[in-house]
């Protein structure tokens, strides 16, 4: 996808692989890629006056959560609450963790990776549809483990439609994306730990998102810390 972006590929292009030989996650981690799961990438061409390109991580998250809910709850998923979630999700209901992880019952369902290439942002999605790893350092799950195993192509088409809608809203301003993200996230005051790029960790309580989509972490001393990049874990 990076080469296509450099050669002028148009926004809206999606590529899907049946499997990956060298899938990767954040910070170069390996991403297991058995057949039956979803491996897709797309690109967005950024323009002057739009929200910060990094906030496309939130767009990707809300589009993916919406798609997951469509398959988990075909009769209509749970309605978002105003502003932010005030209670934990019901069993089996997807939940967002900053910036773009989709969890079910505390287990990781997917990974989303962003890469900047010129004026393009490439977004790669890996979603555990039929399989999930058992031998990693955090809980993982799949849609099959929750009673559904969508066809990867159908899931990809549904995701592409949702993503296009949310990109259109994002171009008008980050507010609706931020509101939807908060409505699908863990509640305010959820205990989190953030592992920063310099190797240090910071524990605190979830204080929401700032106006640009950065994570607000409330510390034990009463101060708040705004985090723009970190690995975040539920405590």
């Amino acid at each position: 996808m990076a080469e296509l972006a450099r050669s002028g590929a148009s926004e809206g292009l999606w590529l899907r692989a049946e499997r990956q030989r060298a899938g990767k996650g954040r910070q170069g981690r390996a991403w297991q890629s058995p057949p039956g799961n979803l491996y897709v990438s797309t690109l967005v061409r950024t323009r002057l006056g739009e929200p910060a390109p990094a906030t496309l991580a939130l767009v990707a998250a809300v589009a993916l959560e919406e798609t997951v809910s469509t398959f988990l709850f075909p009769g209509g998923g749970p309605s978002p609450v105003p502003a932010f979630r005030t209670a934990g999700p019901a069993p089996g209901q997807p939940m967002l963790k900053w910036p773009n992880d989709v969890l079910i019952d505390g287990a990781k369902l997917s990974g989303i990776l962003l890469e900047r290439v010129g004026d393009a942002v490439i977004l790669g999605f890996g979603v555990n549809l039929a399989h999930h790893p058992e031998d990693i350092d955090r809980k993982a799950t799949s849609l099959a483990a929750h009673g559904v195993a969508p066809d990867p192509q159908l899931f990809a088409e549904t995701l592409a439609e949702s993503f296009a809608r949310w990109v259109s809203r994002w171009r008008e301003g980050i507010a609706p994306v931020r509101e939807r993200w908060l409505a699908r996230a863990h509640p305010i005051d959820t205990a989190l730990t953030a592992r920063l790029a310099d190797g240090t960790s910071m524990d605190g309580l979830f204080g929401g998102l700032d106006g640009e989509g950065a994570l607000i972490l409330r510390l034990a001393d009463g101060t708040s810390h705004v985090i723009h990049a970190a690995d975040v874990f539920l405590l």
Side-chain angles (χ1 to χ4, degrees):
M1 181 64 85
E3 287 302 316
L4 291 171
R6 293 188 187 98
S7 65
S10 299
E11 178 173 313
L13 172 68
W14 286 78
L15 297 180
R16 184 175 75 86
E18 293 288 343
R19 65 181 303 165
Q20 298 178 116
R21 295 180 179 176
K24 62 180 181 179
R26 282 176 53 83
Q27 300 182 355
R29 298 187 186 96
W31 182 270
Q32 297 184 27
S33 308
N37 287 348
L38 184 76
Y39 317 108
V40 293
S41 58
T42 188
L43 64 86
V44 173
R45 294 284 179 187
T46 58
R47 309 166 188 169
L48 291 176
E50 292 178 343
T55 60
L56 283 166
L58 304 182
V59 177
V62 298
L64 179 55
E65 188 278 332
E66 182 176 78
T67 303
V68 168
S69 290
T70 296
F71 285 91
L72 282 176
F73 308 105
S79 298
V81 298
F84 54 83
R85 194 197 294 270
T86 56
Q93 182 179 331
M95 181 185 77
L96 295 177
K97 178 174 69 65
W98 192 85
N100 53 28
D101 281 345
V102 178
L103 310 180
I104 301 178
D105 298 337
K108 186 177 173 72
L109 178 72
S110 61
I112 300 172
L113 193 64
L114 275 65
E115 179 183 1
R116 188 71 184 267
V117 178
D119 71 343
V121 177
I122 298 171
L123 300 100
F125 297 77
V127 186
N128 297 330
L129 301 181
H131 315 280
H132 64 274
E134 303 282 358
D135 55 348
I136 57 175
D137 60 356
R138 65 184 76 179
K139 291 197 303 180
T141 192
S142 61
L143 287 185
H146 294 272
V148 294
D151 173 74
Q153 182 61 32
L154 177 59
F155 192 96
E157 292 169 0
T158 307
L159 174 60
E161 292 172 1
S162 178
F163 185 73
R165 288 196 305 272
W166 281 105
V167 168
S168 179
R169 294 168 185 167
W170 168 82
R171 287 204 154 107
E172 299 299 319
I174 193 177
V177 177
R178 178 180 176 275
E179 180 176 345
R180 171 72 181 206
W181 192 98
L182 287 166
R184 295 303 200 187
H186 42 72
I188 296 294
D189 290 337
T190 297
L192 304 174
T193 186
R195 295 179 186 171
L196 307 180
D198 62 4
T200 62
S201 294
M202 184 177 297
D203 294 342
L205 301 180
F206 177 54
L209 305 180
D210 75 0
E212 298 301 316
L215 173 68
I216 300 172
L217 195 65
R218 295 206 298 260
L219 308 184
D221 62 6
T223 63
S224 292
H225 191 84
V226 177
I227 295 176
H228 296 275
D231 279 339
V232 175
F233 302 89
L234 301 175
L235 292 178

